[in-house]
């Protein structure tokens, strides 16, 4: 008999699969510039049955915030559309110049901004 050998690919893949099972996984599209004027689009698709729509929505928002932060800007959500077949969240957002802590403190404290251009849209197919 040959001893049981675990391949290197399996040992690298196992932690990833465990993380997906516990927290859910998503595929993200590339961030696409809509009009060349700091307006962008991002699509997140859930690929794990354990991921909820709320988790997918939060993950897509975090990805958009991180994209704008990479440009030293703040993210402003313009429109959010959610669909269940497949489980998908589409965000239209823009990256705005940072203003003396206004958006950053709202994100840290969990408070909503006074003015919002966000529109929630449910997609049914």
């Amino acid at each position: 008999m040959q001893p049981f050998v675990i391949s290197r690919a399996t040992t690298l893949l196992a932690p990833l699969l465990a993380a997906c099972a516990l927290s859910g996984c998503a595929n993200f599209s590339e961030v696409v510039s809509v009009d060349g004027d700091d307006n962008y689009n991002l699509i997140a698709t859930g690929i794990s049955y354990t991921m909820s729509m709320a988790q997918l929505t939060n993950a897509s928002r975090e990805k958009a915030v991180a994209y704008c932060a990479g440009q030293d800007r703040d993210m402003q959500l313009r429109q959010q559309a959610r669909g269940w077949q497949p489980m998908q969240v589409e965000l239209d957002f823009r990256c705005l110049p940072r203003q003396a802590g206004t958006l950053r403190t709202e994100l840290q404290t969990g408070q909503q901004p006074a003015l919002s251009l966000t529109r929630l849209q449910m997609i049914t197919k």
Side-chain angles (χ1 to χ4, degrees), residues 10-29:
T10 304
T11 56
L12 294 175
L13 189 58
L16 177 64
L17 293 175
C20 283
L22 294 175
S23 64
C25 290
N27 280 335
F28 296 96
S29 69

mmCIF file of all heavy atoms in Angstrom, residues 10-29:
data_model
loop_
_atom_site.group_PDB
_atom_site.id
_atom_site.type_symbol
_atom_site.label_atom_id
_atom_site.label_comp_id
_atom_site.label_asym_id
_atom_site.label_seq_id
_atom_site.Cartn_x
_atom_site.Cartn_y
_atom_site.Cartn_z
ATOM 1 N N THR A 10 -4.130 20.780 -2.578
ATOM 2 C CA THR A 10 -5.191 20.508 -1.608
ATOM 3 C C THR A 10 -4.931 21.234 -0.303
ATOM 4 O O THR A 10 -5.856 21.792 0.297
ATOM 5 C CB THR A 10 -5.305 18.995 -1.357
ATOM 6 O OG1 THR A 10 -5.523 18.345 -2.605
ATOM 7 C CG2 THR A 10 -6.436 18.676 -0.421
ATOM 8 N N THR A 11 -3.684 21.264 0.149
ATOM 9 C CA THR A 11 -3.388 21.945 1.411
ATOM 10 C C THR A 11 -3.554 23.447 1.288
ATOM 11 O O THR A 11 -3.885 24.120 2.257
ATOM 12 C CB THR A 11 -1.958 21.628 1.908
ATOM 13 O OG1 THR A 11 -1.029 21.982 0.894
ATOM 14 C CG2 THR A 11 -1.809 20.162 2.263
ATOM 15 N N LEU A 12 -3.332 23.997 0.111
ATOM 16 C CA LEU A 12 -3.533 25.433 -0.091
ATOM 17 C C LEU A 12 -5.006 25.773 -0.271
ATOM 18 O O LEU A 12 -5.454 26.851 0.107
ATOM 19 C CB LEU A 12 -2.738 25.924 -1.298
ATOM 20 C CG LEU A 12 -1.218 25.852 -1.168
ATOM 21 C CD1 LEU A 12 -0.566 26.251 -2.482
ATOM 22 C CD2 LEU A 12 -0.734 26.732 -0.037
ATOM 23 N N LEU A 13 -5.761 24.852 -0.841
ATOM 24 C CA LEU A 13 -7.168 25.095 -1.138
ATOM 25 C C LEU A 13 -8.060 24.888 0.081
ATOM 26 O O LEU A 13 -9.087 25.546 0.214
ATOM 27 C CB LEU A 13 -7.612 24.170 -2.278
ATOM 28 C CG LEU A 13 -8.972 24.403 -2.888
ATOM 29 C CD1 LEU A 13 -9.066 25.829 -3.437
ATOM 30 C CD2 LEU A 13 -9.235 23.401 -3.986
ATOM 31 N N ALA A 14 -7.675 24.007 0.988
ATOM 32 C CA ALA A 14 -8.511 23.678 2.142
ATOM 33 C C ALA A 14 -8.871 24.894 2.997
ATOM 34 O O ALA A 14 -10.039 25.080 3.339
ATOM 35 C CB ALA A 14 -7.846 22.597 2.978
ATOM 36 N N PRO A 15 -7.913 25.757 3.387
ATOM 37 C CA PRO A 15 -8.290 26.931 4.200
ATOM 38 C C PRO A 15 -9.239 27.869 3.459
ATOM 39 O O PRO A 15 -10.136 28.453 4.061
ATOM 40 C CB PRO A 15 -6.961 27.624 4.487
ATOM 41 C CG PRO A 15 -5.912 26.588 4.274
ATOM 42 C CD PRO A 15 -6.460 25.658 3.241
ATOM 43 N N LEU A 16 -9.048 27.995 2.159
ATOM 44 C CA LEU A 16 -9.934 28.855 1.373
ATOM 45 C C LEU A 16 -11.353 28.310 1.369
ATOM 46 O O LEU A 16 -12.315 29.054 1.560
ATOM 47 C CB LEU A 16 -9.411 28.983 -0.058
ATOM 48 C CG LEU A 16 -10.276 29.788 -1.020
ATOM 49 C CD1 LEU A 16 -10.364 31.238 -0.560
ATOM 50 C CD2 LEU A 16 -9.737 29.704 -2.420
ATOM 51 N N LEU A 17 -11.498 27.018 1.165
ATOM 52 C CA LEU A 17 -12.826 26.411 1.175
ATOM 53 C C LEU A 17 -13.474 26.511 2.544
ATOM 54 O O LEU A 17 -14.677 26.744 2.647
ATOM 55 C CB LEU A 17 -12.741 24.951 0.720
ATOM 56 C CG LEU A 17 -12.348 24.736 -0.734
ATOM 57 C CD1 LEU A 17 -12.189 23.252 -1.033
ATOM 58 C CD2 LEU A 17 -13.358 25.368 -1.669
ATOM 59 N N ALA A 18 -12.693 26.357 3.596
ATOM 60 C CA ALA A 18 -13.235 26.492 4.948
ATOM 61 C C ALA A 18 -13.724 27.915 5.192
ATOM 62 O O ALA A 18 -14.779 28.131 5.773
ATOM 63 C CB ALA A 18 -12.173 26.110 5.975
ATOM 64 N N ALA A 19 -12.962 28.897 4.733
ATOM 65 C CA ALA A 19 -13.376 30.297 4.896
ATOM 66 C C ALA A 19 -14.647 30.570 4.118
ATOM 67 O O ALA A 19 -15.531 31.290 4.591
ATOM 68 C CB ALA A 19 -12.262 31.227 4.441
ATOM 69 N N CYS A 20 -14.761 30.012 2.921
ATOM 70 C CA CYS A 20 -15.979 30.192 2.119
ATOM 71 C C CYS A 20 -17.181 29.585 2.822
ATOM 72 O O CYS A 20 -18.259 30.157 2.825
ATOM 73 C CB CYS A 20 -15.818 29.552 0.743
ATOM 74 S SG CYS A 20 -14.823 30.504 -0.391
ATOM 75 N N ALA A 21 -16.995 28.416 3.403
ATOM 76 C CA ALA A 21 -18.108 27.742 4.069
ATOM 77 C C ALA A 21 -18.593 28.525 5.273
ATOM 78 O O ALA A 21 -19.780 28.569 5.557
ATOM 79 C CB ALA A 21 -17.693 26.338 4.484
ATOM 80 N N LEU A 22 -17.674 29.157 5.991
ATOM 81 C CA LEU A 22 -18.054 29.884 7.199
ATOM 82 C C LEU A 22 -18.586 31.272 6.928
ATOM 83 O O LEU A 22 -19.542 31.713 7.546
ATOM 84 C CB LEU A 22 -16.848 29.979 8.147
ATOM 85 C CG LEU A 22 -16.371 28.658 8.726
ATOM 86 C CD1 LEU A 22 -15.105 28.875 9.540
ATOM 87 C CD2 LEU A 22 -17.450 28.022 9.576
ATOM 88 N N SER A 23 -17.981 31.990 6.003
ATOM 89 C CA SER A 23 -18.370 33.387 5.822
ATOM 90 C C SER A 23 -19.015 33.675 4.472
ATOM 91 O O SER A 23 -19.502 34.770 4.258
ATOM 92 C CB SER A 23 -17.130 34.284 5.985
ATOM 93 O OG SER A 23 -16.203 33.996 4.955
ATOM 94 N N GLY A 24 -19.003 32.745 3.570
ATOM 95 C CA GLY A 24 -19.561 32.979 2.249
ATOM 96 C C GLY A 24 -18.509 33.533 1.314
ATOM 97 O O GLY A 24 -17.516 34.098 1.742
ATOM 98 N N CYS A 25 -18.724 33.333 0.038
ATOM 99 C CA CYS A 25 -17.761 33.786 -0.964
ATOM 100 C C CYS A 25 -18.489 34.564 -2.050
ATOM 101 O O CYS A 25 -19.662 34.342 -2.300
ATOM 102 C CB CYS A 25 -17.057 32.607 -1.605
ATOM 103 S SG CYS A 25 -15.926 31.765 -0.505
ATOM 104 N N ALA A 26 -17.741 35.425 -2.697
ATOM 105 C CA ALA A 26 -18.310 36.228 -3.776
ATOM 106 C C ALA A 26 -17.278 36.406 -4.872
ATOM 107 O O ALA A 26 -16.079 36.441 -4.607
ATOM 108 C CB ALA A 26 -18.749 37.585 -3.252
ATOM 109 N N ASN A 27 -17.769 36.505 -6.088
ATOM 110 C CA ASN A 27 -16.949 36.897 -7.225
ATOM 111 C C ASN A 27 -17.244 38.367 -7.498
ATOM 112 O O ASN A 27 -18.401 38.782 -7.464
ATOM 113 C CB ASN A 27 -17.306 36.089 -8.476
ATOM 114 C CG ASN A 27 -16.676 34.728 -8.478
ATOM 115 O OD1 ASN A 27 -15.653 34.503 -7.848
ATOM 116 N ND2 ASN A 27 -17.293 33.805 -9.184
ATOM 117 N N PHE A 28 -16.205 39.131 -7.782
ATOM 118 C CA PHE A 28 -16.371 40.544 -8.069
ATOM 119 C C PHE A 28 -15.940 40.822 -9.499
ATOM 120 O O PHE A 28 -14.915 40.307 -9.950
ATOM 121 C CB PHE A 28 -15.534 41.410 -7.127
ATOM 122 C CG PHE A 28 -15.950 41.300 -5.693
ATOM 123 C CD1 PHE A 28 -15.308 40.440 -4.828
ATOM 124 C CD2 PHE A 28 -17.005 42.053 -5.210
ATOM 125 C CE1 PHE A 28 -15.688 40.330 -3.508
ATOM 126 C CE2 PHE A 28 -17.399 41.955 -3.886
ATOM 127 C CZ PHE A 28 -16.737 41.092 -3.033
ATOM 128 N N SER A 29 -16.710 41.656 -10.182
ATOM 129 C CA SER A 29 -16.297 42.107 -11.500
ATOM 130 C C SER A 29 -15.196 43.147 -11.321
ATOM 131 O O SER A 29 -14.954 43.630 -10.215
ATOM 132 C CB SER A 29 -17.472 42.733 -12.254
ATOM 133 O OG SER A 29 -17.837 43.975 -11.651
#
